[in-house]
Every structure is written in structure tokens, then in C-alpha cells.
Amino acid sequence: MLAIIGGSGLAQLSNLEVSRRQVVRTPYGEPSGALTFGKIAGHAVVFLARHGYGHTIPPHEVNYRANVWALHAQGVQNVLAIAAVGGIRHDLAPGALVVPDQIIDYTHDRAGTFFTLTDRGVHHIDFTLPYCQTLRAACLKAAQQAGEKALDGGVYAATQGPRLESAAEINRLERDGADMVGMTGMPEAALAREIGLCYATIAVVVNYAAGRGSSRQGIDMHALAAVSQQAMGRVRLILEPLVMSDGG
Ligand code: HPA
């Protein structure tokens, strides 16, 4: 079964035929909300709003471990994360959709592993390719089938938030090789790998990163919200062919 973790701008899926909601308790505390089970185009999916259904949980306070654990406990194998990002690379303008292939983690003070001493002992996962290649390919194919352009590959920089970055910080991220910046990609991706889930992201560029393009003097939050609403509608279109493929 495919799980969809909805990010900012995607707290619910209008094309999801809801069958039930389930509160899942985990050894790590409460997930962001009840899991919503249902069907898209006749295929079973489970949906979770990362920031809560009322968008009340900021990126640094999301209980990533509880969310990932809850999905795994429900028999999910594939997890598609939807993430709003700022575009750093020049072709990542607001409205662009990207399926990133790499991550740099700048977050701190987040519970980022299931392998603590009290849990499962010392363990190191391979994270050379942080995203599941099979699900990435399925997302790209589904986008093509939906007639939506999605760029193949890019480096996602995960920042701590909740504030946006300074222009100098974005320059630094670019020097590091980052193409886009968001606040929720980590530790979510690493936790999914630790627990054996196939995890990929569709990143939705909702603004130029600080100091770039139209954000040279600041980020226009109203424009960001409008772009997000429009682009998330396009993401919903991609989900239908995705759940009908093996990716679902
Ligand atoms: N920076 C960090 N996170 C974001 C941004 C950004 O510019 N836009 C959307 N999420």
C-alpha cells in the first residue's frame, strides 16, 4: 500500500475517497494526526498530514518517528512525501515540480533515528542514494502520464526552520550543491530507510529561495500561498496514475 505524507498546502486530498480514519499509538508518541485510509482511482492509499490536519505543527516539532513508525505498522511499503520547497537552482521557479535524488541535512535537535541504545542498538544504514529509486521512477512516469512536467533529480537541503533562510544562507547552500530548500525532508527520509520503507519525494517549488529571483528583497508569503494551492492541485493529478502503477 502507498502512503502519502502531505506537506504545507496539502492537508487533505480532494481525490481521496475516505473509508476510515485511525488513530495509531506508537512507542515514540503521537503521529501528526489520525491516518486517513481510502482509495484514489480505486486503489488503497493512506494519507497523513505532516503538519496536522489544521496545519498546527511546525517543521521542527513534527514527530517524524511516530509518523514513519505508524505508517510502517499499518503495512505500508511505499511512502510518497509531498514537500513545499524554495527554489535555489535557476530553473526551479515557483510552480516547478521536482523529484529530488539527493539530500543534505542541516537540521538539528530532531529525533532522527529508531536506533537509540534503548531501542535497537547501534546500526548504520546506507544512505548513499537517500530516495527509493523505484518510487522516484514511478513518480516521474506518473507525472508524464498526467501531462505534468516533473524534473528528474536535484539536491534537497533540509533546514531547521521554522524561519526562512537569509540570502547568505541560501548562497552557502548553493555552494554546498543544494538545488532546493525545505524544512521537513529530514529526518523523515532517513527514518523511512531505517525501517525499510521505499520513500520518495515530490518537491513543489512554492517560492524562489531568499535572495533569488523575485525573492531578492524578501519572500512574498501571499504569492507563496497562491502558488502552493495551484501546484498542489497538479500534484493530485499525478497521484492517480501513480497509485495505478506499481508505485502504489
Ligand atoms: N525555505 C525553506 N523551506 C521552504 C521554503 C524556503 O524558501 N519554501 C517552502 N519551504
Side-chain angles (χ1 to χ4, degrees):
M1 183 168 45
L2 175 72
I4 298 159
I5 302 181
S8 294
L10 198 74
Q12 53 198 21
L13 281 179
S14 52
N15 50 353
L16 177 68
E17 217 179 287
V18 176
S19 52
R20 68 192 167 94
R21 291 198 168 82
Q22 189 175 334
V23 175
V24 180
R25 309 221 175 278
T26 88
Y28 304 98
E30 298 276 314
S32 297
L35 303 184
T36 305
F37 290 83
K39 288 189 169 176
I40 292 179
H43 291 256
V45 297
V46 50
F47 178 78
L48 177 63
R50 186 187 286 114
H51 300 285
Y53 292 94
H55 203 280
T56 50
I57 310 169
H60 62 293
E61 283 178 11
V62 170
N63 190 340
Y64 296 95
R65 289 200 299 187
N67 287 352
V68 171
W69 197 95
L71 294 174
H72 180 254
Q74 295 303 307
V76 160
Q77 286 113 27
N78 297 321
V79 177
L80 173 64
I82 311 297
V85 297
I88 301 176
R89 204 171 75 199
H90 65 90
D91 59 328
L92 298 189
L97 304 180
V98 198
V99 181
D101 63 349
Q102 280 296 333
I103 299 179
I104 304 176
D105 187 8
Y106 298 92
T107 66
H108 50 84
D109 301 321
R110 298 183 180 189
T113 180
F114 292 115
F115 297 119
T116 61
L117 274 184
T118 47
D119 291 335
R120 291 157 70 185
V122 179
H123 195 94
H124 303 287
I125 51 158
D126 174 39
F127 208 47
T128 309
L129 302 176
Y131 295 106
C132 171
Q133 296 298 95
T134 322
L135 189 54
R136 284 192 68 253
C139 289
L140 290 164
K141 186 164 171 218
Q144 201 175 28
Q145 286 168 335
E148 293 293 340
K149 186 173 172 186
L151 297 160
D152 181 359
V155 179
Y156 176 110
T159 54
Q160 175 68 2
R163 67 166 176 83
L164 292 156
E165 299 72 32
S166 69
E169 284 171 333
I170 294 298
N171 291 340
R172 173 190 167 210
L173 296 187
E174 184 174 50
R175 286 195 300 275
D176 283 356
D179 298 311
M180 70 204 90
V181 54
M183 299 175 191
T184 56
M186 285 295 282
E188 201 171 81
L191 290 165
R193 178 63 55 83
E194 280 191 353
I195 213 162
L197 293 168
C198 172
Y199 176 98
T201 292
I202 296 182
V204 180
V205 182
V206 294
N207 59 283
Y208 278 112
R212 302 294 149 110
S214 52
S215 303
R216 220 161 286 280
Q217 298 301 320
I219 294 174
D220 178 343
M221 295 303 194
H222 293 293
L224 184 158
V227 172
S228 168
Q229 200 179 7
Q230 194 269 353
M232 292 302 172
R234 290 162 45 221
V235 170
R236 286 191 190 97
L237 297 179
I238 297 175
L239 297 180
E240 299 201 5
L242 179 67
V243 297
M244 290 193 278
S245 73
D246 285 342

